[in-house]
Short mmCIF file of all heavy atoms in Angstrom, two decimals:
data_model
loop_
_atom_site.label_atom_id
_atom_site.label_comp_id
_atom_site.label_asym_id
_atom_site.label_seq_id
_atom_site.Cartn_x
_atom_site.Cartn_y
_atom_site.Cartn_z
N ASP S 483 -37.54 50.30 12.61
CA ASP S 483 -38.82 49.66 12.69
C ASP S 483 -39.93 50.74 12.74
O ASP S 483 -41.16 50.37 12.64
CB ASP S 483 -38.96 48.78 13.83
CG ASP S 483 -38.02 47.55 13.73
OD1 ASP S 483 -37.64 47.20 12.63
OD2 ASP S 483 -37.73 46.95 14.82
N LEU S 484 -39.52 52.10 12.92
CA LEU S 484 -40.54 53.10 13.17
C LEU S 484 -41.42 53.31 11.95
O LEU S 484 -42.64 53.38 12.04
CB LEU S 484 -39.83 54.44 13.48
CG LEU S 484 -39.45 54.68 14.98
CD1 LEU S 484 -38.70 55.93 15.18
CD2 LEU S 484 -40.71 54.64 15.81
N ALA S 485 -40.85 53.31 10.74
CA ALA S 485 -41.73 53.55 9.50
C ALA S 485 -42.72 52.53 9.37
O ALA S 485 -43.85 52.70 9.06
CB ALA S 485 -40.71 53.66 8.33
N GLN S 486 -42.21 51.24 9.53
CA GLN S 486 -43.17 50.07 9.48
C GLN S 486 -44.31 50.25 10.50
O GLN S 486 -45.47 50.00 10.28
CB GLN S 486 -42.37 48.77 9.60
CG GLN S 486 -43.32 47.53 9.41
CD GLN S 486 -42.60 46.25 9.73
OE1 GLN S 486 -41.51 46.30 10.24
NE2 GLN S 486 -43.17 45.17 9.33
N MET S 487 -43.94 50.60 11.64
CA MET S 487 -44.88 50.65 12.81
C MET S 487 -45.96 51.81 12.46
O MET S 487 -47.09 51.47 12.61
CB MET S 487 -44.17 51.01 14.05
CG MET S 487 -45.15 51.21 15.32
SD MET S 487 -44.24 51.59 16.83
CE MET S 487 -43.64 49.97 17.23
N ARG S 488 -45.51 52.97 11.99
CA ARG S 488 -46.50 54.05 11.68
C ARG S 488 -47.39 53.57 10.56
O ARG S 488 -48.62 53.87 10.54
CB ARG S 488 -45.70 55.26 11.29
CG ARG S 488 -44.95 55.87 12.42
CD ARG S 488 -44.45 57.31 12.01
NE ARG S 488 -43.69 57.89 13.13
CZ ARG S 488 -42.43 58.08 13.18
NH1 ARG S 488 -41.67 57.58 12.11
NH2 ARG S 488 -41.78 58.67 14.17
N ALA S 489 -46.84 52.92 9.60
CA ALA S 489 -47.68 52.45 8.43
C ALA S 489 -48.68 51.43 8.88
O ALA S 489 -49.88 51.50 8.51
CB ALA S 489 -46.73 51.84 7.37
N ILE S 490 -48.34 50.60 9.80
CA ILE S 490 -49.31 49.57 10.23
C ILE S 490 -50.39 50.24 11.14
O ILE S 490 -51.56 49.84 11.05
CB ILE S 490 -48.65 48.47 10.98
CG1 ILE S 490 -47.86 47.59 9.91
CG2 ILE S 490 -49.62 47.57 11.71
CD1 ILE S 490 -47.01 46.43 10.49
N TYR S 491 -49.95 51.21 12.00
CA TYR S 491 -50.92 51.91 12.77
C TYR S 491 -51.90 52.62 11.89
O TYR S 491 -53.14 52.63 12.21
CB TYR S 491 -50.23 52.87 13.69
CG TYR S 491 -49.82 52.29 15.09
CD1 TYR S 491 -48.46 52.47 15.55
CD2 TYR S 491 -50.70 51.52 15.78
CE1 TYR S 491 -48.09 51.91 16.75
CE2 TYR S 491 -50.37 51.03 17.04
CZ TYR S 491 -49.03 51.18 17.51
OH TYR S 491 -48.66 50.63 18.70
N GLY S 492 -51.42 53.29 10.92
CA GLY S 492 -52.26 54.04 10.05
C GLY S 492 -53.29 53.15 9.40
O GLY S 492 -54.49 53.50 9.19
N ASP S 493 -52.78 51.95 8.91
CA ASP S 493 -53.74 51.04 8.26
C ASP S 493 -54.70 50.42 9.20
O ASP S 493 -55.88 50.18 8.86
CB ASP S 493 -52.84 49.91 7.69
CG ASP S 493 -53.71 48.99 6.79
OD1 ASP S 493 -54.28 49.46 5.81
OD2 ASP S 493 -53.75 47.78 7.15
N ALA S 494 -54.22 50.21 10.45
CA ALA S 494 -55.11 49.63 11.52
C ALA S 494 -56.22 50.49 11.92
O ALA S 494 -57.34 50.07 12.34
CB ALA S 494 -54.29 49.31 12.80
N LEU S 495 -56.14 51.90 11.75
CA LEU S 495 -57.24 52.75 12.08
C LEU S 495 -58.54 52.52 11.20
O LEU S 495 -59.59 52.95 11.60
CB LEU S 495 -56.79 54.21 11.91
CG LEU S 495 -55.65 54.66 12.90
CD1 LEU S 495 -55.29 56.05 12.63
CD2 LEU S 495 -56.07 54.45 14.33
N HIS S 496 -58.27 51.92 10.05
CA HIS S 496 -59.37 51.59 9.16
C HIS S 496 -59.91 50.21 9.37
O HIS S 496 -60.81 49.75 8.69
CB HIS S 496 -59.01 51.77 7.67
CG HIS S 496 -58.51 53.15 7.42
ND1 HIS S 496 -59.30 54.33 7.44
CD2 HIS S 496 -57.17 53.59 7.24
CE1 HIS S 496 -58.51 55.31 7.06
NE2 HIS S 496 -57.25 54.96 7.00
N HIS S 497 -59.27 49.43 10.25
CA HIS S 497 -59.72 48.10 10.54
C HIS S 497 -59.96 47.88 12.04
O HIS S 497 -60.06 48.82 12.85
CB HIS S 497 -58.64 47.08 10.05
CG HIS S 497 -58.37 47.22 8.59
ND1 HIS S 497 -57.55 48.14 8.00
CD2 HIS S 497 -58.91 46.54 7.47
CE1 HIS S 497 -57.50 48.09 6.72
NE2 HIS S 497 -58.37 47.11 6.33
N THR S 498 -59.92 46.66 12.50
CA THR S 498 -60.29 46.40 13.84
C THR S 498 -59.05 45.99 14.64
O THR S 498 -58.89 46.41 15.88
CB THR S 498 -61.32 45.26 13.97
OG1 THR S 498 -62.46 45.65 13.25
CG2 THR S 498 -61.77 45.05 15.39
N THR S 499 -58.10 45.19 14.06
CA THR S 499 -56.88 44.79 14.77
C THR S 499 -55.69 44.87 13.93
O THR S 499 -55.78 45.09 12.73
CB THR S 499 -57.11 43.19 15.15
OG1 THR S 499 -57.21 42.43 13.99
CG2 THR S 499 -58.35 43.03 16.00
N TYR S 500 -54.55 44.74 14.57
CA TYR S 500 -53.27 44.61 13.81
C TYR S 500 -52.24 43.87 14.63
O TYR S 500 -52.51 43.63 15.91
CB TYR S 500 -52.74 46.02 13.58
CG TYR S 500 -51.95 46.62 14.59
CD1 TYR S 500 -50.50 46.43 14.78
CD2 TYR S 500 -52.54 47.45 15.62
CE1 TYR S 500 -49.80 47.00 15.78
CE2 TYR S 500 -51.82 48.10 16.67
CZ TYR S 500 -50.37 47.74 16.72
OH TYR S 500 -49.74 48.34 17.68
N LYS S 501 -51.18 43.34 14.07
CA LYS S 501 -50.18 42.63 14.71
C LYS S 501 -48.78 43.02 14.02
O LYS S 501 -48.68 43.14 12.88
CB LYS S 501 -50.32 41.14 14.56
CG LYS S 501 -49.23 40.35 15.37
CD LYS S 501 -49.47 38.78 15.33
CE LYS S 501 -49.22 38.33 13.89
NZ LYS S 501 -49.29 36.79 13.98
N LEU S 502 -47.81 43.26 14.90
CA LEU S 502 -46.51 43.81 14.41
C LEU S 502 -45.36 43.27 15.36
O LEU S 502 -45.58 43.23 16.57
CB LEU S 502 -46.51 45.27 14.37
CG LEU S 502 -45.12 45.96 14.11
CD1 LEU S 502 -44.72 45.70 12.68
CD2 LEU S 502 -45.22 47.44 14.39
N GLU S 503 -44.25 42.96 14.78
CA GLU S 503 -42.98 42.61 15.54
C GLU S 503 -42.00 43.64 15.26
O GLU S 503 -41.73 44.04 14.06
CB GLU S 503 -42.48 41.20 15.11
CG GLU S 503 -43.42 40.03 15.50
CD GLU S 503 -42.76 38.69 15.19
OE1 GLU S 503 -41.56 38.66 14.89
OE2 GLU S 503 -43.46 37.70 15.43
N TYR S 504 -41.44 44.16 16.35
CA TYR S 504 -40.50 45.29 16.24
C TYR S 504 -39.58 45.24 17.49
O TYR S 504 -39.71 44.51 18.37
CB TYR S 504 -41.23 46.66 16.25
CG TYR S 504 -42.18 46.89 17.48
CD1 TYR S 504 -41.68 47.61 18.56
CD2 TYR S 504 -43.44 46.31 17.57
CE1 TYR S 504 -42.48 47.86 19.65
CE2 TYR S 504 -44.24 46.55 18.66
CZ TYR S 504 -43.73 47.35 19.75
OH TYR S 504 -44.48 47.47 20.79
N ARG S 505 -38.54 46.08 17.31
CA ARG S 505 -37.45 46.11 18.37
C ARG S 505 -37.56 47.34 19.22
O ARG S 505 -37.83 48.41 18.62
CB ARG S 505 -36.07 46.02 17.64
CG ARG S 505 -35.79 44.68 17.05
CD ARG S 505 -34.60 44.87 16.05
NE ARG S 505 -35.08 45.52 14.83
CZ ARG S 505 -34.29 45.80 13.76
NH1 ARG S 505 -32.98 45.49 13.80
NH2 ARG S 505 -34.72 46.44 12.75
N VAL S 506 -37.31 47.17 20.48
CA VAL S 506 -37.19 48.25 21.45
C VAL S 506 -35.85 48.17 22.21
O VAL S 506 -35.29 47.01 22.32
CB VAL S 506 -38.41 48.30 22.44
CG1 VAL S 506 -39.69 48.48 21.67
CG2 VAL S 506 -38.44 47.12 23.28
N LEU S 507 -35.43 49.29 22.67
CA LEU S 507 -34.13 49.32 23.44
C LEU S 507 -34.33 48.38 24.68
O LEU S 507 -35.29 48.32 25.34
CB LEU S 507 -33.82 50.73 24.00
CG LEU S 507 -33.26 51.66 22.83
CD1 LEU S 507 -33.18 53.13 23.44
CD2 LEU S 507 -31.87 51.19 22.48
N HIS S 508 -33.22 47.64 24.93
CA HIS S 508 -33.14 46.75 26.03
C HIS S 508 -33.18 47.55 27.37
O HIS S 508 -32.47 48.67 27.40
CB HIS S 508 -31.92 45.91 25.95
CG HIS S 508 -32.00 44.69 26.83
ND1 HIS S 508 -31.73 44.69 28.18
CD2 HIS S 508 -32.28 43.38 26.50
CE1 HIS S 508 -31.94 43.48 28.64
NE2 HIS S 508 -32.28 42.61 27.62
N PRO S 509 -33.84 47.12 28.39
CA PRO S 509 -33.84 47.90 29.70
C PRO S 509 -32.46 48.15 30.20
O PRO S 509 -32.23 49.13 30.95
CB PRO S 509 -34.72 47.00 30.63
CG PRO S 509 -35.49 46.20 29.65
CD PRO S 509 -34.75 45.95 28.42
N GLU S 510 -31.51 47.18 29.93
CA GLU S 510 -30.17 47.42 30.45
C GLU S 510 -29.28 48.48 29.67
O GLU S 510 -28.24 48.75 29.99
CB GLU S 510 -29.42 46.06 30.51
CG GLU S 510 -30.09 45.05 31.41
CD GLU S 510 -29.39 43.73 31.38
OE1 GLU S 510 -28.34 43.66 30.70
OE2 GLU S 510 -29.88 42.76 32.02
N GLY S 511 -29.94 49.01 28.64
CA GLY S 511 -29.29 50.09 27.90
C GLY S 511 -28.26 49.62 26.88
O GLY S 511 -28.29 48.46 26.49
N GLY S 512 -27.38 50.49 26.58
CA GLY S 512 -26.39 50.21 25.46
C GLY S 512 -27.01 50.15 24.07
O GLY S 512 -28.07 50.70 23.84
N ASN S 513 -26.41 49.48 23.16
CA ASN S 513 -26.98 49.31 21.87
C ASN S 513 -27.75 48.02 21.65
O ASN S 513 -27.91 47.53 20.50
CB ASN S 513 -25.92 49.35 20.78
CG ASN S 513 -25.21 50.74 20.72
OD1 ASN S 513 -25.93 51.76 20.95
ND2 ASN S 513 -23.91 50.83 20.52
N ARG S 514 -28.20 47.46 22.78
CA ARG S 514 -28.90 46.21 22.74
C ARG S 514 -30.31 46.46 22.54
O ARG S 514 -30.90 47.36 23.08
CB ARG S 514 -28.63 45.42 24.00
CG ARG S 514 -27.16 44.93 24.17
CD ARG S 514 -27.01 44.40 25.51
NE ARG S 514 -27.82 43.14 25.72
CZ ARG S 514 -28.11 42.56 26.87
NH1 ARG S 514 -27.67 43.08 27.99
NH2 ARG S 514 -28.92 41.48 26.89
N TYR S 515 -31.10 45.56 21.76
CA TYR S 515 -32.51 45.59 21.53
C TYR S 515 -33.17 44.33 21.88
O TYR S 515 -32.48 43.25 21.74
CB TYR S 515 -32.78 46.03 20.03
CG TYR S 515 -32.55 47.44 19.74
CD1 TYR S 515 -31.22 47.82 19.37
CD2 TYR S 515 -33.54 48.41 19.88
CE1 TYR S 515 -31.01 49.25 19.14
CE2 TYR S 515 -33.34 49.73 19.54
CZ TYR S 515 -31.96 50.15 19.23
OH TYR S 515 -31.80 51.42 18.96
N ARG S 516 -34.42 44.27 22.23
CA ARG S 516 -35.29 43.21 22.38
C ARG S 516 -36.35 43.13 21.38
O ARG S 516 -36.90 44.24 21.00
CB ARG S 516 -35.71 43.01 23.83
CG ARG S 516 -36.58 44.16 24.22
CD ARG S 516 -37.34 43.97 25.64
NE ARG S 516 -36.72 43.05 26.57
CZ ARG S 516 -37.08 42.86 27.76
NH1 ARG S 516 -38.10 43.55 28.25
NH2 ARG S 516 -36.49 42.05 28.59
N TRP S 517 -36.86 41.97 21.04
CA TRP S 517 -38.03 41.94 20.08
C TRP S 517 -39.33 41.80 20.85
O TRP S 517 -39.44 41.06 21.74
CB TRP S 517 -37.77 40.71 19.14
CG TRP S 517 -36.95 40.94 18.00
CD1 TRP S 517 -35.56 40.60 18.04
CD2 TRP S 517 -37.24 41.48 16.77
NE1 TRP S 517 -35.01 40.94 16.77
CE2 TRP S 517 -35.99 41.46 15.94
CE3 TRP S 517 -38.35 41.99 16.09
CZ2 TRP S 517 -35.92 41.87 14.67
CZ3 TRP S 517 -38.34 42.40 14.85
CH2 TRP S 517 -37.11 42.41 14.12
N LEU S 518 -40.37 42.63 20.35
CA LEU S 518 -41.65 42.61 21.00
C LEU S 518 -42.61 42.29 19.84
O LEU S 518 -42.45 42.72 18.71
CB LEU S 518 -42.13 43.88 21.65
CG LEU S 518 -41.21 44.34 22.74
CD1 LEU S 518 -41.83 45.62 23.35
CD2 LEU S 518 -41.07 43.32 23.87
N MET S 519 -43.65 41.54 20.19
CA MET S 519 -44.70 41.33 19.20
C MET S 519 -46.01 42.07 19.84
O MET S 519 -46.36 41.69 20.86
CB MET S 519 -45.07 39.82 19.08
CG MET S 519 -46.18 39.60 17.97
SD MET S 519 -46.52 37.92 17.58
CE MET S 519 -47.07 37.27 19.14
N GLY S 520 -46.44 43.06 19.15
CA GLY S 520 -47.63 43.82 19.57
C GLY S 520 -48.88 43.45 18.80
O GLY S 520 -48.89 43.40 17.59
N CYS S 521 -49.98 43.27 19.56
CA CYS S 521 -51.26 43.00 18.98
C CYS S 521 -52.33 44.02 19.68
O CYS S 521 -52.17 44.26 20.78
CB CYS S 521 -51.76 41.56 19.29
SG CYS S 521 -50.59 40.27 18.72
N CYS S 522 -53.17 44.53 18.87
CA CYS S 522 -54.11 45.50 19.39
C CYS S 522 -55.48 45.40 18.77
O CYS S 522 -55.69 44.78 17.70
CB CYS S 522 -53.54 46.92 19.27
SG CYS S 522 -53.69 47.54 17.61
#
Side-chain angles (χ1 to χ4, degrees):
D483 296 337
L484 275 176
Q486 181 186 14
M487 177 180 285
R488 292 191 180 103
I490 290 179
Y491 271 133
D493 186 61
L495 295 178
H496 304 287
H497 300 84
T498 305
T499 62
Y500 84 90
K501 183 175 73 172
L502 171 68
E503 292 187 6
Y504 58 97
R505 289 162 289 180
V506 297
L507 281 170
H508 198 280
E510 296 179 3
N513 293 323
R514 297 172 59 196
Y515 286 86
R516 59 170 27 172
W517 279 94
L518 300 182
M519 181 173 66
C521 304
C522 73

